[in-house]
Amino acid sequence: MSRRVVSLWFPRLASDRFLRSRPIDAPFALTHRQGNTERLYCLNAAASQQGLHTGMGYSDARAFCLDLQTHPADPAGDQAFLQVLARWAKRYCPWVGLEGADGLVLDITGSAHLFGGEAPLLHDIHQRLARAGLFVRSGVADTRGAAWALAHYGKGIAARAQQLDAIGQLPVAALRLDQKPSIALQRLGVRSIADLHALPRATITRRFGPEVLLRLDQALGTQAETISPLPDPPAYQVRLSLPDPIGLQADVMAGTARLLDQLCDKLTAQEMGARVLQLCLRRVDKGTQEIDIRLARAMRDPQRILTLFERGIGDIDAGFGIDQMRLVATLVEPVAVEQVTHSQVEAGDKLDDLITRIGNRIGLDNVQRFLPADSHIPERSFIVAPAAYSTPAGRWVSLRERPIQIFPPEPITGAGATPPASLRWRRMSFRVERATGPERIAPEWWLSDENWRSGVRDYWKVETKQGRRLWLFYTPQNPAWFVQGQFA
């Protein structure tokens, strides 16, 4: 049985992926910055019909097509989507690899008959991709090079052992040559693959090097070319089948410990850590109990993780017994290898474990921490972030003392540019003992904030006889006094 290869080319992969979720019935293009110029990255069919092309400058494209709509490109997302397509293509054959940044190659040797032949198989591929909103071109041949040539410069299915007849009239660029030798061959009048095949091989090698003949031989099948399939992603799951059902909490914890040891060994070998774990317990009556653990940090320490399962295992209903246990890391993250002291590890571990325990009860997103932000505006000098998805920022840098509590400005009665001798705030009366200031803060003109429409603010630190230490400010451009914070 001769080898058969399918080449799939997605010339509009990036734009099709974007338009799948946001359809646009107009010329559309994705753009990316190359040097100091914004250029077209990928176009839809309507934009191509307007005469636009990939690599064209954005300003030139707008001059040709005034109604052109654009969006920044996402090359990383496109590659991830191509990986998804590669996994989908395994429904046709187990041997699927990537062909550049916008194509797939499938070795369908021995599997085409399952779909009624090569033509029905291609028809099924095109139909399914069209329903998904993807435009694809394809080619089938005995070799990877010939299939690529048909997908990019021709169409159809090459007959077995007839590669030269199928691709002979295609341009030499169909041999996957670099731009320089391809242009040089065309200038010499060698425009088709058949013309190149008729030339003396020694002459070709002396003039253009071995690459041209290598690509020609790969396309015609005289030189072997392998297809490297995508490796299957590692499965971070382990299972334990029990000869006799168990139901005691101690027995379930012991089984979980065995599973964690195996799972953490896999994670360590791949330098990964688990963020979400699921323990599935199957009872003898075929019922299942599931325990989900969300971790504040990616971890692979079985002893630390085991203690986090105690509460969930204590609440399970074992029924007539558990005969199978399965542990799955449903979300993993890379964990860099680092060398730390025992004291550093212990301090960080205790905090992460505390966040994990609290977060599994109220939600990890509800355990938050304050982080410094690069702004001299008081209410913008910090951000609130989930503690599980952020790291402490160390010491806060502040040239002036800031209050322990900041709230939206609350107006008070006062006249003049100095703090009033007495004030009434939140239905309480205060007499000012000492005032320190002013500290003038100007608004950030590049940001629009309704709260700073009154212009600059003069901040004062005020100590009252009643013991309160308040943070007041005065707006000289629109005279008024406000309280915005309290010191400890």
Side-chain angles (χ1 to χ4, degrees), residues 224-479:
E225 186 177 10
T226 61
I227 297 176
S228 299
L230 293 176
D232 293 330
Y236 299 106
Q237 59 179 340
V238 289
R239 185 175 62 181
L240 176 63
S241 296
L242 303 169
D244 296 315
I246 60 175
L248 297 178
Q249 180 178 356
D251 295 337
V252 178
M253 287 291 293
T256 306
R258 291 183 59 182
L259 293 176
L260 278 172
D261 290 338
Q262 301 175 32
L263 181 63
C264 290
D265 288 343
K266 288 186 177 182
L267 293 170
T268 303
Q270 299 290 332
E271 295 187 0
M272 305 292 286
R275 285 300 298 263
V276 180
L277 291 166
Q278 184 181 73
L279 178 64
C280 299
L281 306 175
R282 192 187 70 180
R283 303 185 308 194
V284 294
D285 60 357
K286 305 306 179 182
T288 59
Q289 298 277 318
E290 296 181 354
I291 303 171
D292 294 322
I293 297 294
R294 304 177 65 89
L295 304 176
R297 288 288 179 272
M299 293 193 297
R300 56 190 181 207
D301 185 350
Q303 297 299 325
R304 290 175 56 198
I305 299 176
L306 180 61
T307 59
L308 303 175
F309 276 104
E310 289 181 353
R311 179 171 174 268
I313 291 177
D315 295 337
I316 64 170
D317 179 13
F320 294 103
I322 297 169
D323 61 358
Q324 187 182 94
M325 305 175 63
R326 184 166 60 94
L327 182 62
V328 185
T330 57
L331 180 62
V332 296
E333 291 180 1
V335 176
V337 178
E338 58 181 3
Q339 183 176 1
V340 296
T341 64
H342 293 291
S343 59
Q344 290 173 321
V345 173
E346 183 180 357
D349 291 350
K350 289 182 177 180
L351 178 59
D352 292 341
D353 292 346
L354 177 61
I355 295 174
T356 298
R357 290 181 181 276
I358 297 176
N360 279 287
R361 296 192 179 193
I362 65 174
L364 283 178
D365 292 339
N366 296 324
V367 183
Q368 300 175 334
R369 64 159 52 99
F370 291 94
L371 298 174
D374 187 14
S375 176
H376 63 273
I377 301 298
E379 51 265 41
R380 291 184 183 158
S381 61
F382 65 91
I383 59 175
V384 181
Y389 308 108
S390 60
T391 56
R395 298 189 60 184
W396 290 49
V397 178
S398 178
L399 301 179
R400 300 289 186 93
E401 185 182 3
R402 290 290 181 258
I404 193 69
Q405 181 183 11
I406 294 179
F407 40 79
E410 300 176 3
I412 59 173
T413 303
T418 58
S422 61
L423 58 96
R424 185 170 180 81
W425 172 64
R426 293 184 178 179
R427 299 182 181 180
M428 295 181 291
S429 299
F430 299 95
R431 293 188 59 83
V432 176
E433 180 72 16
R434 181 181 305 171
T436 306
E439 175 191 357
R440 174 159 291 185
I441 297 180
E444 296 174 334
W445 55 267
W446 56 92
L447 295 176
S448 177
D449 190 345
E450 294 294 333
N451 296 326
W452 283 79
R453 292 294 186 187
S454 57
V456 299
R457 297 178 180 179
D458 292 336
Y459 279 87
W460 294 78
K461 178 182 176 183
V462 172
E463 299 180 11
T464 65
K465 290 186 177 180
Q466 287 75 19
R468 294 290 185 98
R469 304 169 66 209
L470 306 177
W471 206 37
L472 280 62
F473 71 84
Y474 174 71
T475 54
Q477 294 173 316
N478 186 17

Side-chain angles (χ1 to χ4, degrees), residues 111-126:
S111 60
H113 71 281
L114 300 175
F115 299 88
E118 294 173 354
L121 183 145
L122 280 187
H123 180 71
D124 186 70
I125 291 176
H126 281 262

Side-chain angles (χ1 to χ4, degrees), residues 47-62:
S48 299
Q49 292 172 0
Q50 296 289 332
L52 308 183
H53 59 85
T54 302
M56 190 177 188
Y58 174 68
S59 57
D60 296 336
R62 287 300 301 268

